């Protein structure tokens, strides 16, 4: 009976670990998806135009490096994350998205990366040139503003299923779910420890749970995401999207390593220390 309950707790642990991994990665994946599909290309295009107009000697290789700097910068990911949060909250609360304030945030993307771009082109960028880029990025009639407006309109005019998807996204990515998963995993470990009256038996169950979770997150979850990304893109953003799944694979590798360590630790401890019975009064 003890082993059966321990196995059930281990299965619950697998579910909690998988949910925790999704909670940790889903916002970054969503931000990167929208950044790649909407923000990064238009932003780099505007910056590239100003650079090539003012620095005609810039090579194609340098332009490619600038695109890499912008698309991978923390500021553009932070902007996209804020954009997603505002769209989600406004849609669920029946409000309008303040795209003007969002666009003003975008002007920081170039400013935060000026030093790196100067290193790439090996020339100084003047304050006047920085201002030109900022004006183009925040232009209310510009291509980027139009693209963001299209995304906002597509989401807010979506069907009931779009709203349900956003509600699920908001719930799964919440801090409450993260804390609940962590507490649940700890409770499962403690209960397994008490059931087996051993200081290290929990490690074998937790190790196996970690490896099973690693297979689900690192192998099966990316396949599922790749299978449904087209449907999600058309339903929510009204465009095809490519959802990056590298973070899920990294989480899978980390879980696999943790699982192996726990199993090895159990083997060593079970050989070195005999089990002892605890007395409860």
């Amino acid at each position: 009976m003890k082993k059966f309950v321990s196995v059930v707790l281990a299965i619950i642990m697998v579910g909690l670990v998988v949910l925790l991994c999704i909670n940790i990665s889903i916002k970054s994946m969503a931000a990167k998806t929208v950044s790649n599909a909407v923000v990064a290309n238009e932003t780099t295009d505007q910056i590239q135009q100003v650079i090539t107009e003012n620095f005609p000697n810039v090579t194609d290789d340098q332009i490619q490096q600038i695109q890499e700097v912008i698309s991978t910068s923390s500021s553009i990911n932070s902007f996209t994350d804020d954009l997603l949060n505002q769209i989600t909250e406004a849609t669920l609360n029946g409000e309008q998205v303040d795209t003007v304030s969002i666009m003003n945030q975008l002007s920081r993307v170039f400013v935060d990366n000026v030093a790196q771009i100067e290193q790439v082109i090996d020339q100084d960028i003047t304050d006047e040139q920085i201002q030109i880029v900022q004006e183009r990025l925040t232009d209310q009639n510009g291509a980027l503003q139009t693209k963001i407006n299209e995304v906002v309109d597509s989401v807010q005019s979506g069907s009931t299923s779009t709203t349900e998807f956003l509600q699920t996204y908001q719930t799964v990515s919440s801090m409450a779910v993260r804390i609940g998963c962590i507490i649940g995993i700890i409770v499962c470990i403690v209960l397994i420890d008490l059931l087996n009256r051993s200081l290290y038996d929990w490690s074998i169950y937790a190790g196996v749970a970690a490896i099973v979770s690693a297979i689900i997150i690192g192998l099966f979850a990316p396949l599922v995401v790749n299978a449904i990304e087209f449907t999600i893109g058309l339903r929510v953003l009204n465009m095809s999207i490519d959802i990056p799944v590298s973070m899920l694979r990294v989480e899978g590798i980390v879980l696999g390593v943790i699982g192996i360590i726990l199993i090895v630790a159990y083997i060593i401890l079970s050989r070195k220390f005999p089990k002892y019975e605890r007395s409860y009064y």
Side-chain angles (χ1 to χ4, degrees):
M1 185 65 180
K2 287 192 302 182
K3 286 190 175 181
F4 174 76
V5 176
S6 297
V7 169
V8 171
L9 289 170
I11 293 172
I12 294 172
M13 217 187 313
V14 169
L16 291 171
V17 170
V18 169
L19 181 57
L20 178 61
C21 289
I22 294 172
N23 172 275
I24 292 170
S25 61
I26 191 169
K27 276 200 168 186
S28 297
M29 289 170 60
K32 191 65 177 174
T33 299
V34 174
S35 176
N36 291 341
V38 181
V39 181
N41 288 338
E42 295 294 344
T43 303
T44 52
D45 283 348
Q46 296 300 323
I47 294 171
Q48 178 183 324
Q49 286 176 21
V50 175
I51 295 296
T52 52
E53 287 169 7
N54 291 275
F55 305 100
N57 294 328
V58 172
T59 65
D60 291 339
D61 183 57
Q62 288 174 322
I63 291 296
Q64 207 166 23
Q65 290 180 55
I66 292 171
Q67 291 174 339
E68 184 70 19
V69 167
I70 297 300
S71 61
T72 58
S73 69
S74 59
S75 53
I76 202 166
N77 290 331
S78 176
F79 163 79
T80 311
D81 190 43
D82 289 341
L83 172 64
L84 279 174
N85 288 338
Q86 288 197 43
I87 292 175
T88 301
E89 291 175 10
T91 303
L92 294 179
N93 295 326
E95 301 170 353
Q96 291 298 314
V97 179
D98 186 3
T99 55
V100 175
S101 64
I102 290 175
M103 295 305 294
N104 289 333
Q105 292 178 41
L106 187 59
S107 65
R108 295 297 312 169
V109 172
F110 180 66
V111 175
D112 292 344
N113 293 281
V114 165
Q116 286 181 273
I117 294 173
E118 286 178 334
Q119 286 182 352
V120 171
I121 65 176
D122 196 25
Q123 297 182 64
D124 293 332
I125 298 174
T126 65
D127 291 340
E128 183 181 358
Q129 290 164 342
I130 292 174
Q131 187 175 0
I132 291 172
V133 174
Q134 288 180 307
E135 288 174 355
R136 290 194 182 184
L137 290 177
T138 56
D139 183 6
Q140 296 301 306
N141 297 314
L144 183 55
Q145 176 71 71
T146 302
K147 196 80 171 177
I148 289 176
N149 286 339
E150 288 175 358
V151 171
V152 172
D153 291 342
S154 174
V155 173
Q156 294 200 314
S157 63
S159 61
T160 305
S161 61
T162 302
T163 305
E164 291 172 352
F165 177 84
L166 291 176
Q167 287 174 335
T168 303
Y169 166 79
Q170 191 176 53
T171 301
V172 171
S173 62
S174 67
M175 185 57 67
V177 168
R178 184 174 304 186
I179 294 171
C181 287
I182 293 171
I183 292 173
I185 292 167
I186 294 172
V187 169
C188 286
I189 289 173
V190 171
L191 289 175
I192 290 172
D193 184 46
L194 293 175
L195 277 170
N196 293 277
R197 299 185 180 184
S198 168
L199 291 175
Y200 53 80
D201 268 12
W202 65 270
S203 61
I204 185 66
Y205 291 99
V208 172
I211 289 177
V212 173
S213 301
I215 294 171
I216 294 172
I217 287 293
L219 183 60
F220 292 117
L223 294 176
V224 172
V225 171
N226 289 334
I228 65 174
E229 64 184 2
F230 181 75
T231 303
I232 293 174
L234 289 182
R235 179 176 295 180
V236 180
L237 301 176
N238 197 28
M239 65 175 71
S240 61
I241 57 173
D242 180 22
I243 301 176
V245 294
S246 57
M247 191 169 182
L248 292 175
R249 293 196 176 100
V250 170
E251 287 177 335
I253 292 170
V254 171
L255 284 172
V257 171
I258 292 173
I260 291 171
I261 291 172
L262 288 172
I263 291 172
V264 170
Y266 170 79
I267 293 171
I268 293 172
L269 290 171
S270 62
R271 288 178 178 177
K272 192 170 183 179
F273 301 104
K275 292 183 181 179
Y276 62 92
E277 294 292 325
R278 298 178 186 175
S279 299
Y280 294 90
Y281 298 95

